[in-house]
Amino acid sequence: MTVAPASSEPIDGLWAVVPAGGAGTRLWPLSRSSSPKFLRDLTGTGRSLLQGTHDRLAPLVQDRFLVVTGRAHRDAVAAQLPEVDGAAIVAEPSARDSMAAIGLAAAMLELRDPDAVMGSFAADHVIADPAAFGEAVRTASAAARDGWLVTLGIEPTFASSAFGYVHLGDDLDGHPGAHAVVEFVEKPSVDVAEGYLATGRYRWNAGMFVVRPTVLLDLLAESDPAFAAALRAIAADPATLDTAWAALPKIALDHAVAEPAAAAGRVVVVPASIGWDDIGDFDSLATLLEDHDTASVTVLGDASLVQVSAATGLVVPAGGKMVAVVGLDDVVVVDTPDALLVTTRAKAQDVKAIVAALKDAGRVDLT
Amino acid sequence: MTVAPASSEPIDGLWAVVPAGGAGTRLWPLSRSSSPKFLRDLTGTGRSLLQGTHDRLAPLVQDRFLVVTGRAHRDAVAAQLPEVDGAAIVAEPSARDSMAAIGLAAAMLELRDPDAVMGSFAADHVIADPAAFGEAVRTASAAARDGWLVTLGIEPTFASSAFGYVHLGDDLDGHPGAHAVVEFVEKPSVDVAEGYLATGRYRWNAGMFVVRPTVLLDLLAESDPAFAAALRAIAADPATLDTAWAALPKIALDHAVAEPAAAAGRVVVVPASIGWDDIGDFDSLATLLEDHDTASVTVLGDASLVQVSAATGLVVPAGGKMVAVVGLDDVVVVDTPDALLVTTRAKAQDVKAIVAALKDAGRVDLT
């Protein structure tokens, strides 16, 4: 008889909450408001980021999924995840930031499964080492069951100014691998980030939380009792979703719960080296996909559609036609049927300016 | 009664010979073997380069045109030039370089009009000052009528290593504005070209000749009597074109006639400041089109299809879709329905490597 490795066994009572939102404007024209990042196969695996998130979590939670997405994307999410029961795909009437989305999932789970532990994992992240991820979630789930709000702390691979950080404190008694959180810190300058890395005591905050639903809602209630009550009322009577939703505060879970709870000593962190990436822009996508053995361009898609002479960077021939690149280093070329982007890896963050300009120019159809 | 300025009056007996050939591979993907440079509107005027050549010459020659093109392009040339009689569009069975093409035109004109002077002007050049061009051709025609082989010597605007040069000698008696030619020199290094410019006695050789047909053929007969005889035989019996053509030498008129004739003191040059450009690549096209008052990209085509953030260079949105360029200087982006090119102005010469690579890859359909 074969014994499966520990990391592939389901975790008792763990529910995967998957917020599937975000415009991903820095990945335009691949990512659109009508077809956002999480619905796209950005890694060339044949699976979208949402599907990859599902595939990674299914061994841990089996069929205990709750996906929260925008109403416009509900059908696309359901089509991409035939394994997930339709009733487990919750459509927000409008985008009201992460506290409302994840808080509603918490309120629904609180009613449904008193023993539930929920893990919230965004639909548009990439994790290269799912086994290590599974182990980190297992450790986090055990601490969460004891009443902690648990975050995964991603080992930083460089001094990024694009992420918030979590400051590791003492080891947590009874939970090897978990630490107290001293504090969450906002996106630092690169200089400050370098100082963080030098200490070895800071991790990236990737917004991944594991917690008992009741603990999360009770923490929210400490700062905003009406918000927590409103979420619980919607869960108790889903018919009120449409009318109640628009009145909810628009605030990130980090600000509403995690930061004040950390200040109160209620948050712990499980450091995790899992090959995490949020594919924030085409520069990070190029890093994710590049083959360090070749000094040419990386192609996401059909390489027979790309001709290169003395160039490096990322080419996405998603328009189905030949793309030729001559004499440019670290270039980014993204061809789609109705829009083409040409930029550099260094300027990849500025792509959002194009999306804004297109809106100003009345070309919302292209955003 | 209004008197037209001298430059717009026809020149007695002048025929325009227009060789319409050349692949223009450095302008791929705008220029293709099936739709070469001379058939394209590269200046955004609404007229192709061929049509622009016709428009510039018609005031000088009225209906005395002879266009020599490849068989594959005969119908397209005829469609673009409804003003030109179909019989005046000569289709070469195959490309055999400029001596055969222009020599055949000379042999046809020699038979047709004993008083003819012919001016040979490529179909894919741009001339910004047609009035100055007309005056130069008028001066050249007068010298040609006296038996000289006359070339126009283009005032160099920079020390180009991409053109051959013509070395000016003494003034020609009786023809103010014309000079003896000391010699033609092949494409020099930039250093050598700088030395040429410093003397003020060198001009670019743009391959524009004005000459009596008989003079041209007799000069050819001095070095290759069989070649001249073959051209005259074809003109006398056009039915032999197909069989005789393939046996003709493949040589440029410069080498076959102009250089030896210059050495023999039989060539003169009319210096001309006419805003000439041969649009050799996308760098020269960008120079030709750029608006020096703006520090953004130059658009050839529909500017509403281009969104730019912190970029300079040339964008051709000929694919009909939105093109966004972010953070690149001197970039060249040419979008067409079936192929996209991204390069820089400095690397524009290397585009021909892509055309070669496409042929190697079995994608002749795209070249």
Side-chain angles (χ1 to χ4, degrees), chain A residues 59-111:
Chain A
L60 305 177
V61 303
Q62 297 176 304
D63 61 354
R64 296 186 298 275
F65 277 91
L66 211 52
V67 182
V68 187
T69 193
R71 196 161 275 178
H73 306 307
R74 199 207 162 281
D75 290 349
V77 167
Q80 288 202 356
L81 299 179
E83 313 87 340
V84 174
D85 184 67
I89 300 171
V90 180
E92 302 171 281
S94 61
R96 295 211 74 73
D97 217 324
S98 58
M99 187 67 244
I102 298 168
L104 176 62
M108 292 170 69
L109 290 176
E110 182 181 48
L111 281 180

Side-chain angles (χ1 to χ4, degrees), chain A residues 321-322 324 326 335 340 342-343, chain B residues 321-322 324 326 335-336 340 343:
Chain A
K321 75 182 180 208
M322 185 62 63
V326 178
D335 187 41
L340 161 68
V342 179
T343 186
Chain B
K321 75 183 182 208
M322 185 63 63
V326 179
D335 187 42
T336 75
L340 162 67
T343 185

Side-chain angles (χ1 to χ4, degrees), chain A residues 28 305 307-309 321-328 331 333 335-344 347 350-351 353-354 357-358 361 363 366, chain B residues 28 305 307-309 321-328 331 333 335-344 347 350-351 353-354 357-358 361 363 366:
Chain A
W28 181 92
L305 291 176
Q307 285 286 347
V308 176
S309 171
K321 75 182 180 208
M322 185 62 63
V323 178
V325 184
V326 178
L328 276 157
V331 71
V333 179
D335 187 41
T336 75
D338 62 353
L340 161 68
L341 170 71
V342 179
T343 186
T344 65
K347 298 291 184 181
D350 299 344
V351 171
I354 293 293
L358 286 171
R363 296 303 305 267
L366 293 177
Chain B
W28 181 92
L305 291 176
Q307 284 286 347
V308 176
S309 172
K321 75 183 182 208
M322 185 63 63
V323 177
V325 183
V326 179
L328 277 157
V331 71
V333 178
D335 187 42
T336 75
D338 63 353
L340 162 67
L341 168 71
V342 179
T343 185
T344 65
K347 298 289 184 183
D350 299 345
V351 170
I354 294 293
L358 286 170
R363 296 304 305 269
L366 293 178

Side-chain angles (χ1 to χ4, degrees), chain A residues 65 120 176 188 266 284 308 355 366:
Chain A
F65 277 91
S120 176
R266 310 275 289 275
S284 67
V308 176
V355 177
L366 293 177

Side-chain angles (χ1 to χ4, degrees), chain B residues 117 139-150 175 210-212 215:
Chain B
V117 170
T139 301
S141 298
R145 198 167 294 285
D146 283 357
W148 297 99
L149 175 59
V150 189
H175 291 285
V210 184
V211 65
R212 287 186 51 218
V215 170

Side-chain angles (χ1 to χ4, degrees), chain A residues 10-271:
Chain A
I11 299 171
D12 281 348
L14 178 67
W15 284 76
V17 172
V18 179
T25 54
R26 285 169 302 178
L27 290 170
W28 181 92
L30 273 193
S31 177
R32 309 286 179 99
S33 53
S34 61
S35 180
K37 187 173 153 186
F38 60 84
L39 291 174
R40 308 300 299 241
D41 170 18
L42 293 183
T43 56
T45 57
R47 301 282 282 169
S48 72
L49 297 180
L50 171 68
Q51 290 171 320
T53 301
H54 173 269
D55 296 348
R56 182 164 62 241
L57 287 163
L60 305 177
V61 303
Q62 297 176 304
D63 61 354
R64 296 186 298 275
F65 277 91
L66 211 52
V67 182
V68 187
T69 193
R71 196 161 275 178
H73 306 307
R74 199 207 162 281
D75 290 349
V77 167
Q80 288 202 356
L81 299 179
E83 313 87 340
V84 174
D85 184 67
I89 300 171
V90 180
E92 302 171 281
S94 61
R96 295 211 74 73
D97 217 324
S98 58
M99 187 67 244
I102 298 168
L104 176 62
M108 292 170 69
L109 290 176
E110 182 181 48
L111 281 180
R112 175 166 180 164
D113 180 357
D115 293 325
V117 170
M118 60 183 272
S120 176
F121 307 103
D124 55 4
H125 292 179
V126 167
I127 290 172
D129 187 346
F133 169 73
E135 282 313 294
V137 172
R138 195 174 304 277
T139 302
S141 297
R145 199 166 294 285
D146 282 357
W148 296 99
L149 174 60
V150 189
T151 184
L152 299 194
I154 306 298
E155 185 172 40
T157 52
F158 66 102
S160 175
S161 61
F163 304 126
Y165 286 70
V166 52
H167 186 176
L168 268 60
D170 295 335
D171 291 359
L172 183 67
D173 285 345
H175 292 284
H179 297 257
V181 166
V182 178
E183 62 173 342
F184 289 93
V185 290
E186 297 272 351
K187 296 174 185 176
S189 67
V190 170
D191 282 352
V192 170
E194 283 171 351
Y196 290 167
L197 264 63
T199 68
R201 303 297 292 172
Y202 285 80
R203 295 294 181 275
W204 285 340
N205 174 17
M208 294 191 282
F209 291 96
V210 184
V211 65
R212 288 185 52 219
T214 300
V215 170
L216 182 71
L217 293 169
D218 288 352
L219 285 170
L220 174 61
E222 289 180 21
S223 61
D224 191 340
F227 194 173
L231 291 167
R232 282 168 160 147
I234 294 169
D237 184 2
T240 64
L241 175 63
D242 274 16
T243 48
W245 190 256
L248 297 181
K250 216 166 177 173
I251 186 171
L253 187 146
D254 277 7
H255 297 315
V257 167
E259 290 162 12
R266 310 275 289 275
V267 186
V268 299
V269 55
V270 175

Side-chain angles (χ1 to χ4, degrees), chain B:
Chain B
M1 177 179 158
T2 306
V3 178
S7 64
S8 68
E9 285 176 6
I11 298 171
D12 281 349
L14 179 67
W15 285 76
V17 171
V18 179
T25 53
R26 285 170 302 179
L27 289 171
W28 181 92
L30 273 194
S31 178
R32 310 285 180 98
S33 53
S34 60
S35 179
K37 188 175 154 185
F38 61 84
L39 291 174
R40 308 298 301 239
D41 170 19
L42 293 182
T43 56
T45 56
R47 300 283 283 169
S48 72
L49 296 180
L50 171 68
Q51 291 172 318
T53 301
H54 172 270
D55 297 349
R56 182 164 61 241
L57 288 164
L60 305 177
V61 303
Q62 297 178 303
D63 60 355
R64 296 187 298 274
F65 276 92
L66 211 51
V67 182
V68 186
T69 192
R71 196 160 274 179
H73 305 308
R74 200 208 162 281
D75 290 350
V77 167
Q80 287 201 358
L81 298 180
E83 313 88 340
V84 174
D85 183 65
I89 300 172
V90 180
E92 301 172 282
S94 62
R96 295 210 74 75
D97 216 326
S98 58
M99 188 66 245
I102 297 169
L104 176 62
M108 294 171 68
L109 289 177
E110 183 182 44
L111 281 182
R112 175 168 182 162
D113 180 357
D115 293 325
V117 170
M118 61 182 272
S120 175
F121 307 103
D124 56 3
H125 292 178
V126 167
I127 289 172
D129 186 347
F133 169 73
E135 283 312 296
V137 172
R138 194 175 305 276
T139 301
S141 298
R145 198 167 294 285
D146 283 357
W148 297 99
L149 175 59
V150 189
T151 183
L152 299 195
I154 306 298
E155 185 172 42
T157 53
F158 66 101
S160 174
S161 61
F163 303 126
Y165 286 71
V166 51
H167 185 178
L168 268 59
D170 295 335
D171 291 359
L172 182 67
D173 284 345
H175 291 285
H179 297 256
V181 166
V182 178
E183 62 173 342
F184 289 94
V185 291
E186 297 271 351
K187 297 174 186 179
S189 68
V190 170
D191 283 351
V192 170
E194 284 172 351
Y196 289 167
L197 265 63
T199 68
R201 304 295 294 172
Y202 285 80
R203 296 293 182 274
W204 285 340
N205 174 15
M208 295 191 282
F209 290 96
V210 184
V211 65
R212 287 186 51 218
T214 300
V215 170
L216 183 71
L217 292 168
D218 288 352
L219 284 170
L220 175 61
E222 290 180 20
S223 62
D224 190 341
F227 194 173
L231 291 167
R232 283 172 160 143
I234 295 170
D237 183 3
T240 64
L241 175 64
D242 274 16
T243 48
W245 190 256
L248 296 181
K250 215 167 179 174
I251 185 171
L253 187 147
D254 278 7
H255 297 315
V257 167
E259 290 162 11
R266 309 272 291 273
V267 186
V268 298
V269 54
V270 174
S273 299
I274 58 179
W276 174 87
D277 202 308
D278 75 340
I279 317 185
D281 59 28
F282 285 114
D283 183 43
S284 67
L285 184 58
T287 300
L288 188 70
L289 298 177
E290 73 189 337
D291 176 354
H292 294 280
D293 294 339
T294 68
S296 185
V297 300
T298 299
V299 176
L300 173 59
D302 182 352
S304 75
L305 291 176
V306 179
Q307 284 286 347
V308 176
S309 172
T312 61
L314 175 68
V315 176
V316 187
K321 75 183 182 208
M322 185 63 63
V323 177
V325 183
V326 179
L328 277 157
D329 279 325
D330 291 330
V331 71
V332 173
V333 178
V334 182
D335 187 42
T336 75
D338 63 353
L340 162 67
L341 168 71
V342 179
T343 185
T344 65
R345 294 184 56 171
K347 298 289 184 183
Q349 294 270 340
D350 299 345
V351 170
K352 60 181 185 288
I354 294 293
V355 177
L358 286 170
K359 283 177 180 160
D360 288 348
R363 296 304 305 269
V364 178
D365 58 308
L366 293 178
T367 65

